[in-house]
Each structure stands twice: as C-alpha cells, then as structure tokens.
Amino acid sequence: MATQQRPENYYDIVIVGAGPVGLMLSTCLARWGYKIKHIDNRAEPTPTGRADGIQPRSLDLLRNMGLKSAIMAHKPARVYEVAFWDPPKRGKGIVRTGTWASCPSFIDARYPFTTLLHQGLIERVFIADLEKNGVQVQRPWTIKGFTSDEKANPEYPVEVRLEHVDGTSSETVRAKYLFGGEGARSFIRDQLKIGITHKDPIAYVWGVMDGVVKTDFPDIKMKCTIHSEHGSIMVIPRENNMVRLYIQIASSTDADFNPRKTSTAEEVQATAKRILQPYSIEWERVEWYSVYPIGQGIADKYTLDHRVFLGGDSCHTHSPKAGQGMNTAFLDALNLAWKIHAVEAGFAQRKLLETYEPERKEVAETLLSFDNKYAKLFSQRPPAAADVEAATSSAAPDEGENAFVKTFKESCSFTSGYGVFYRANDVNWSPSHPAQSRAFLPPTPRLAPGRLLPNATVTRVTDANVVHLEQEVPLNGSFRLFVFAGNTPDNRALADLAAGMARKSSFYASFARPDADTISHHEKHNPHSRFFTVCTVFAKPRAAVEVARDVPPLLARYLDHVYADDVWDRQVPDARASAHAKMGLDAERGGVVVVRPDGYVGAVVRLEEGGATVEALNEYFGSFVTRRLGGEGGKL
C-alpha cells in the first residue's frame, strides 16, 4: 500500500461488524498494510453461543495464517464421525443405525475432523492478531449512513457516518471501500435497497442450547443426528465438557406455525428428554440458550458499485446445523481481501473486483440448496429401521439408504470446504479464456482452475524437512507459482523458464520490487516481487537435487522453496513422484501451476523448452494485471 500523506479521517476501508467475516477481512488487510476503520455495535466480542464449527478447509486456512495453534490452544472438541440414530425395528425409543466419517478418506484432508469451539474464543484470536498490526475494533459504534460517489472523489469515494450507540459522539470518515459484515439485519444492505431472495418458503424455528449435561446416551461426545417419534435433535460436542443441542420447535408446514413461536429452556429440555428415550439426560448448567427462526435466503447482489461490499450473513442466511456459516464467511472475506489488495497495490485492474460477487454468490447458492434439502430431511419423521432394512434388501446398492444419510454422505466434499470451486473467469483459466496459448494444460479431475490446489507432502531440500507443500507459502497476498520441474537430465525447460521470467516485460519482472537489491538474504517468500512466491519441486530424491547445479539462479533465490518429490502418499500409492502424480503432471516433464493468493488454482501450463511457458503465463496474467506483458511493457 502506498504511504502518501492523507487526512487522519481517510481510510482504505471501513468494516462494519466484528463477527467472523469482518474479522477475517480486517486481519488480512491489516497484515498487508492497509489503514482500517473497524467498528462493531457490541460492547465486547461474542461472550457465548453463536457459530462454533470450523471445517477442515478452514482449519487449513487458519494454519496458513498462523492462527491455528491459538485456536487449538482452547482444546476444542473434534468431530471425526457422525452417528445416526433412528426408531428401532420394533418397539419404542431410538437406536444407532450407522456412523459416517465427518470427513471421509476420499477427501484428502490434513485435518479430517470438524473443530468445535464457540465463536467468541475464535473472534478473540483474530482480535489479538489485529492489535499486533495496529488495528483496534471500535466499540460500541454503529453506522448511521453512507454515500458512494466516484465522480466526486475518485480515490476516496465513500463517505461514512458513524455514531456511538448511546449517541454521545459521532464522526464522518472517507474511505476507498465500505464493507458490511453486520449479519442478517444488515443496515448497509437495506440502505442499498438490495433484496433477499428466499430459496424456499418453508421456514423453521429452532432452539439451541449449550450446557454441561449428565447422560447415559453413549454418543454424547459425537456429533449425532437423532430422529424419533417425538421429533428431531442434533447433538454437537463442545469445549469444556459442554454439548450443544439443536431442537426444531416449529416449521411453517405446521398448521399453527408462528415464526415468532418460542419455548423456554425448560420446555426444550423436556422435548430433548422425550427424544432421547430410553436414555436419560440432565443439565448441570446451561451456558447459553436461544430461539430463532431460520429461512434460507440470499442477497440479490453483493455490491452495486464495487466500492461498497457485503459478505457473510449479510448476504446469505441458512440453518446452523451443517456448520457452514462461519466457514462461508471466512472464504467470502478472503476472496474479497486478496482482490482489494491486488487492485490497491497496483497489480490488478479494477475489473478483478467484479469477480467477487459471482464467485462467492454461486457458493452461497450451492450452500442454500444443500441446506434446504438437509433441513427438510432433518425435520421429517424417518421410517423405522425395519422399513429401511426391508427397502435396502431388495434395492440396488444405496437405493434404500435413508435419504438423510445419503444426502449427508454426498455433501461431505462440499461441507468440508474442499468441494468449493469457482467457475471460469479472468483468474480461473478455461479454453474460453483470452489467453489461448497451446501451452495451457486442460482441466483434469486432479487439477483444475477454480479448485483448491491438492495437498502434497514433499521434502524441503535445504534442511531435509518433510513439509506440506500447500502450506509452505503463508497467506501473504501473493500468487504462488509451483514449478513442478520433473526429472529430465539437463532440464533445459527450467532454465528457459527462469530466463523468460527475468526479461523486463515478463509477468514476473514487470512487478519487481523497487527495493529488491536491499532485501535481506533471509527473505523467503518475496525477495524479487511482492506479488509472486515461487516454489520448485523436482521429481527425484532429495539426495539427487543439487541446488547450485539444478536450479537456475532466479529460482534458487527462493532457496527455502526448493523441494524433492520423494515422499510416499497413500492417495497415489504406486506413484514414483507423489506430488506430481496428485497434480496429474508427468513425472518427467512436470508443469507450472499458478495458484491464486487464496489457494485456488488459476492456471496450469506445460513446462517445455523455449519461450512457450512464459508466453502462456504472460497471456494469463496479462488478462487482468495493470501492465502490458511480453511486449514493450508499461501501464495499461
């Protein structure tokens, strides 16, 4: 971020709301040097309750940010399996009818479990990181109004009026951007007159209770979905011996449905006791209890002018049972953060911001479609186990499977976070992309633009440490170039790639750091450019890699990012070079994988002798960066 002088009340961004989406956005931008005004209308972070599930992909992200250890220090519960309980074949009560991995082995997750910890503790981890970077959340303040006018002020077009919640003080600030992360009752969304489209007219009223219980129910430490003749309940283990129970109180399909229907904690406890029969349950204490209506809705727009944006619950509302709210919010914020950074740091054209809404809105629509189906199935009275067994015995495989269980299994990839993908656009290459070089490799099931880079384990050459390749570059706002160098004897293609990258008009050299000559020798990630980090992976044992001989000087400057692909992987047990195989790349010829700052693949290019590899990369980056590439150079 440029450091030009500006008035004290001018900010790069004003963020309203200090829940998961606002804190993630603020944390990313604060680390990358932006001036932030961040407000929240609550006097303190969430004390209890609210969102509590961190899915496997989100835990990867938090690790990449260096925040995972602080969260795990709270000793959260970990859900590896989900148990299903239903009415028995004969008689009354409930029986366990099956279990299923929370994150099955076909999903190649580093952390194949859901982490459960209340939102307030998670918020405090982000707040502590913000404070290290000079940002304080201003509380309890609220937004009273705003305008956005690029004609009147092209650089700081947004004027925001803020006020202390008790009305004793107020201030007006200017900003380049305004972000609304205030939740379902978003003032900013209302002021923009952006509507919410409800995907299904059916709404539900849910009771949720956190507490410490005494019970003989055997799966109280597991995530459970329980259906009985008395209703449905979901059990979620929590930290500090707590358990969360979700109980449906009312549905709009009920004859006497009232969205404002409520129940006391005692009434919900009585319902839970009936559902859990023949098992008993008593509460030693109740930490938090709430009743709230849930309807699946999505905002019609996430922005009108690419200056004022919405994210998180301001954009999408759904039931809490699948544990997706906080995780979706994190990825909304991350998607917007790196794009704002790329634009404001002078790397990308402003049109990059136009990809935020379509990328994230489609994910929200997929989530709502799943959630709608999930909520309906959860709310239905299931057939008895005997009926399921009879149907299964005469049906093709899985045809007779309980519909709820089948939906749960099918959705694992999406709910874990690994199944999220983005469609083709300027940063996700496809055959219809403006870059048409023959050197682009087509999408494959293993490696496709718009999907996460597959996890891979390799050996770092410089110190022989076995490392997780996808975690080696921290969340630094840079594109990541993974050069899979294969195993050719002289590797002329690698030398040609480095020579092409060194040319002044290349995608790489065009964005060289002006202070590169003074950068510390120990700078691992951005010695040449703030916009690129380069990793080189050889398809041979570490002992066979000699950096001085095998790695061109430009790539060798990233000494800590030179790796040997020599670690066996159970996902590709017969592969000689597992990381190459997991990417679907030839172990002899390799390839270059461009990964966006958020971990999603942008493009895959052949690694070949001559200039074709760099020319393809110039075409790809040239479709959205601010400089002309491959020619005379200069700004667009």
Side-chain angles (χ1 to χ4, degrees):
M1 186 67 205
T3 56
Q4 70 269 22
Q5 283 295 110
R6 48 193 171 176
E8 190 176 326
N9 67 333
Y10 277 50
Y11 294 87
D12 292 311
I13 189 167
V14 174
I15 297 173
V16 182
V21 69
L23 289 171
M24 175 63 81
L25 180 62
S26 195
T27 298
C28 291
L29 294 177
R31 289 179 171 195
W32 300 336
Y34 291 87
K35 186 180 178 185
I36 300 165
K37 167 73 82 171
H38 195 163
I39 69 162
D40 191 88
N41 61 9
R42 301 171 297 166
E44 61 181 15
T46 304
T48 55
R50 296 213 186 179
D52 63 355
I54 302 174
Q55 299 297 346
R57 157 60 186 154
S58 297
L59 207 56
D60 285 344
L61 170 59
L62 293 168
R63 176 184 167 192
N64 201 230
M65 298 175 73
L67 300 178
K68 172 178 166 281
S69 59
I71 285 172
M72 301 309 280
H74 291 289
K75 296 186 166 62
R78 302 182 186 191
V79 169
Y80 285 90
E81 287 191 354
V82 179
F84 304 98
W85 289 73
D86 295 289
K89 298 177 185 178
R90 300 173 196 82
K92 297 186 178 297
I94 54 174
V95 294
R96 188 192 299 114
T97 52
T99 61
W100 183 252
S102 179
C103 185
S105 60
F106 67 80
I107 301 169
D108 188 20
R110 295 292 186 194
Y111 309 106
F113 53 84
T114 301
T115 304
L116 297 159
L117 185 70
H118 93 65
Q119 183 176 315
L121 294 175
I122 298 167
E123 287 176 7
R124 284 172 170 83
V125 170
F126 281 93
I127 290 166
D129 194 79
L130 282 173
E131 289 173 351
K132 289 178 188 173
N133 289 287
V135 176
Q136 298 272 347
V137 178
Q138 191 171 319
R139 305 172 184 272
W141 279 65
T142 189
I143 182 170
K144 301 301 288 185
F146 65 91
T147 59
S148 179
D149 188 346
E150 279 192 322
K151 290 183 179 176
N153 190 329
E155 191 175 4
Y156 292 88
V158 187
E159 184 178 86
V160 190
R161 289 180 287 113
L162 307 171
E163 188 177 278
H164 192 282
V165 293
D166 66 8
T168 55
S169 54
S170 63
E171 60 179 304
T172 298
V173 301
R174 295 204 74 90
K176 294 179 177 181
Y177 301 95
L178 170 64
F179 180 77
E182 321 119 288
R185 298 182 181 89
S186 169
F187 171 84
I188 294 172
R189 188 189 67 231
D190 289 347
Q191 292 299 299
L192 293 172
K193 296 183 169 52
I194 293 175
I196 292 280
T197 297
H198 292 280
K199 294 297 180 181
D200 192 290
I202 295 176
Y204 304 93
V205 178
W206 285 88
V208 57
M209 180 179 293
D210 289 341
V212 177
V213 302
K214 180 180 179 181
T215 180
D216 58 355
F217 178 64
D219 287 351
I220 199 67
K221 294 288 189 180
M222 302 262 286
K223 179 177 179 180
C224 304
T225 64
I226 304 169
H227 294 95
S228 86
E229 62 185 53
H230 300 292
S232 299
I233 193 169
M234 182 170 280
V235 177
I236 309 284
R238 292 283 305 275
E239 74 281 0
N240 296 328
N241 296 316
M242 286 195 298
V243 65
R244 169 169 290 188
L245 300 180
Y246 286 112
I247 302 174
Q248 184 176 308
I249 293 170
S251 165
S252 56
T253 56
D254 299 340
D256 59 347
F257 176 67
N258 178 357
R260 293 180 180 82
K261 183 174 180 178
T262 189
S263 288
T264 65
E266 291 74 21
E267 288 170 336
V268 166
Q269 288 173 343
T271 301
K273 288 180 178 182
R274 287 194 298 273
I275 292 171
L276 283 171
Q277 290 173 356
Y279 302 101
S280 65
I281 184 170
E282 300 291 339
W283 277 261
E284 292 184 2
R285 65 179 174 88
V286 173
E287 178 166 301
W288 181 70
Y289 171 69
S290 182
V291 174
Y292 49 92
I294 293 291
Q296 288 90 1
I298 189 168
D300 297 332
K301 298 286 292 179
Y302 283 24
T303 181
L304 298 181
D305 62 355
H306 305 103
R307 289 290 188 173
V308 181
F309 291 93
L310 302 172
D313 288 353
S314 298
C315 298
H316 37 77
T317 58
H318 45 84
S319 79
K321 298 178 301 304
Q324 292 302 300
M326 179 164 51
N327 300 275
T328 306
F330 282 161
L331 295 185
D332 283 350
L334 177 59
N335 190 289
L336 183 60
W338 79 260
K339 291 171 182 176
I340 286 177
H341 174 54
V343 168
E344 292 303 318
F347 178 68
Q349 300 171 44
R350 290 200 62 80
K351 68 175 183 175
L352 178 63
L353 295 171
E354 296 172 14
T355 65
Y356 167 68
E357 180 182 300
E359 285 196 340
R360 294 308 300 163
K361 192 169 186 228
E362 183 168 358
V363 171
E365 286 170 343
T366 303
L367 167 59
L368 264 63
S369 176
F370 155 73
D371 183 67
N372 184 28
K373 188 175 181 181
Y374 192 85
K376 281 183 178 178
L377 288 169
F378 187 82
S379 304
Q380 290 172 356
R381 297 289 191 274
D387 297 330
V388 174
E389 185 178 68
T392 306
S393 64
S394 59
D398 289 339
E399 279 187 22
E401 190 168 43
N402 181 312
F404 179 84
V405 177
K406 192 174 182 183
T407 297
F408 184 90
K409 289 181 179 181
E410 289 172 348
S411 67
C412 282
S413 180
F414 179 79
T415 56
S416 70
Y418 290 104
V420 170
F421 71 95
Y422 300 133
R423 295 195 185 277
N425 56 31
D426 281 350
V427 287
N428 305 327
W429 187 88
S430 73
S432 61
H433 193 279
Q436 286 293 305
S437 167
R438 62 169 180 78
F440 285 101
L441 287 168
T444 68
R446 289 190 182 276
L447 191 68
R451 291 192 177 273
L452 282 169
L453 180 76
N455 292 337
T457 303
V458 294
T459 304
R460 193 163 52 215
V461 169
T462 187
D463 59 6
N465 277 221
V466 174
V467 297
H468 296 161
L469 183 62
E470 73 284 354
Q471 288 288 344
E472 280 291 275
V473 183
L475 185 65
N476 58 5
S478 302
F479 276 78
R480 307 160 187 191
L481 262 62
F482 290 93
V483 181
F484 289 86
N487 187 24
T488 53
D490 63 352
N491 222 329
R492 186 71 246 163
L494 191 64
D496 289 345
L497 169 67
M501 289 171 62
R503 292 194 186 99
K504 284 189 176 181
S505 60
S506 78
F507 71 94
Y508 182 81
S510 291
F511 293 96
R513 296 178 65 144
D515 60 349
D517 291 340
T518 63
I519 292 298
S520 166
H521 173 73
H522 296 288
E523 171 56 50
K524 298 179 181 180
H525 310 301
N526 298 106
H528 293 157
S529 170
R530 294 187 185 278
F531 303 112
F532 297 103
T533 301
V534 187
C535 302
T536 307
V537 186
F538 289 92
K540 49 188 174 183
R542 174 183 171 269
V545 179
E546 188 65 56
V547 173
R549 178 193 67 210
D550 300 331
V551 188
L554 183 144
L555 304 180
R557 179 61 181 86
Y558 297 87
L559 181 62
D560 289 285
H561 289 303
V562 178
Y563 308 94
D565 186 1
D566 61 357
V567 181
W568 181 84
D569 192 301
R570 64 182 174 84
Q571 297 283 339
V572 285
D574 299 324
R576 180 171 58 82
S578 298
H580 282 68
K582 292 181 82 171
M583 306 297 155
L585 297 173
D586 185 89
E588 294 299 319
R589 295 189 296 272
V592 179
V593 183
V594 178
V595 176
R596 306 172 358 163
D598 57 356
Y600 289 82
V601 175
V604 186
V605 180
R606 301 178 201 280
L607 179 61
E608 55 185 48
E609 294 182 16
T613 303
V614 169
E615 287 166 11
L617 293 169
N618 285 341
E619 285 184 28
Y620 165 75
F621 284 106
S623 69
F624 61 88
V625 300
T626 54
R627 297 181 183 275
R628 290 189 179 90
L629 305 179
E632 295 302 314
K635 290 189 176 182
L636 292 174

